[in-house]
Amino acid sequence: MKNLPLKIRSKKLESRVDLTAMVSVSFLLIVFFMVTIDLAKPNSFGLGLPYDDEYTCRWYGACGGENRSVTILLGDNNKLITYTGTLDLPIAPPREIEYGKNGIRTLLLKQNKSILDYSAQLGRPGRGITVIIKPSTKCNYKNLVDILDEMVITKIDTYAIINEFTPEESQLLAAN
């Protein structure tokens, strides 16, 4: 037979894959998903509501926190009317007051201090008044800024600006 060329055998290299990086990435993904699942769980806390009986609601104003709410109505010509509680059963009746140190600031500081003292006696320190600011369409921008400045000066953190008036509040602003 003729000399057949010999088959050249290739040298086999060992094929080895380094999985160190893959293991690191998989552990990072596991940790990531464990943390996101834990953070995605809804957190709940207890909500302490007052007793809902007619006597407590009628005499102490405790059902909706009316004793903590102060409403400020801003009208035209620097008109400022304030009341505590609800308008149909006010704790402090509506009255016209002036802006500044001797007016609204003194009232807010006094009411906030009395509510803070009262809530500290009940075992809930730090719960001051809630101010509801209602600027009318005739109110100028300066009056709204002045009231917001008073919130900062008196250190009242809980306040809301609402532009919805009840018919009684509209009549109150128009009458005074």
Side-chain angles (χ1 to χ4, degrees), residues 2-175:
K2 265 182 167 189
N3 273 341
L4 292 172
L6 294 173
K7 274 189 171 179
I8 301 175
R9 292 195 176 211
S10 63
K11 198 178 193 184
K12 289 204 173 185
L13 299 173
E14 281 189 45
S15 59
R16 197 173 148 229
V17 178
D18 188 14
L19 295 177
T20 306
M22 183 64 88
V23 171
S24 298
V25 168
S26 64
F27 277 118
L28 283 174
L29 285 173
I30 290 171
V31 170
F32 172 75
F33 286 120
M34 286 174 55
V35 169
T36 56
I37 288 172
D38 194 40
L39 292 177
K41 290 180 184 174
N43 295 328
S44 63
F45 57 92
L47 180 62
L49 296 174
Y51 296 112
D52 192 14
D53 61 14
E54 189 173 325
Y55 178 79
T56 306
C57 291
R58 177 83 175 145
W59 295 105
Y60 297 110
C63 288
E66 292 90 0
N67 58 346
R68 292 182 51 225
S69 71
V70 176
T71 304
I72 300 173
L73 306 173
L74 306 175
D76 58 343
N77 298 329
N78 297 331
K79 188 182 292 185
L80 181 67
I81 297 175
T82 180
Y83 62 90
T84 303
T86 59
L87 196 54
D88 56 341
L89 189 66
I91 295 170
R95 66 178 179 162
E96 191 167 345
I97 197 165
E98 60 187 42
Y99 289 91
K101 183 179 179 181
N102 296 328
I104 189 70
R105 188 178 309 164
T106 304
L107 176 81
L108 290 174
L109 285 170
K110 186 173 108 179
Q111 285 187 334
N112 197 31
K113 183 178 179 341
S114 69
I115 293 296
L116 283 171
D117 292 343
Y118 179 71
S119 63
Q121 290 174 357
L122 294 178
R124 296 180 185 167
R127 295 187 63 187
I129 62 174
T130 300
V131 178
I132 302 168
I133 303 167
K134 293 188 173 187
S136 69
T137 55
K138 297 178 182 177
C139 166
N140 61 22
Y141 186 72
K142 179 188 178 305
N143 292 343
L144 182 61
V145 171
D146 288 344
I147 286 297
L148 293 177
D149 286 342
E150 294 296 336
M151 296 298 115
V152 172
I153 292 169
T154 56
K155 295 183 177 124
I156 296 174
D157 296 330
T158 310
Y159 60 89
I161 301 172
I162 301 172
N163 62 353
E164 296 175 7
F165 282 85
T166 63
E168 293 85 10
E169 289 171 338
S170 299
Q171 289 175 356
L172 189 64
L173 271 177

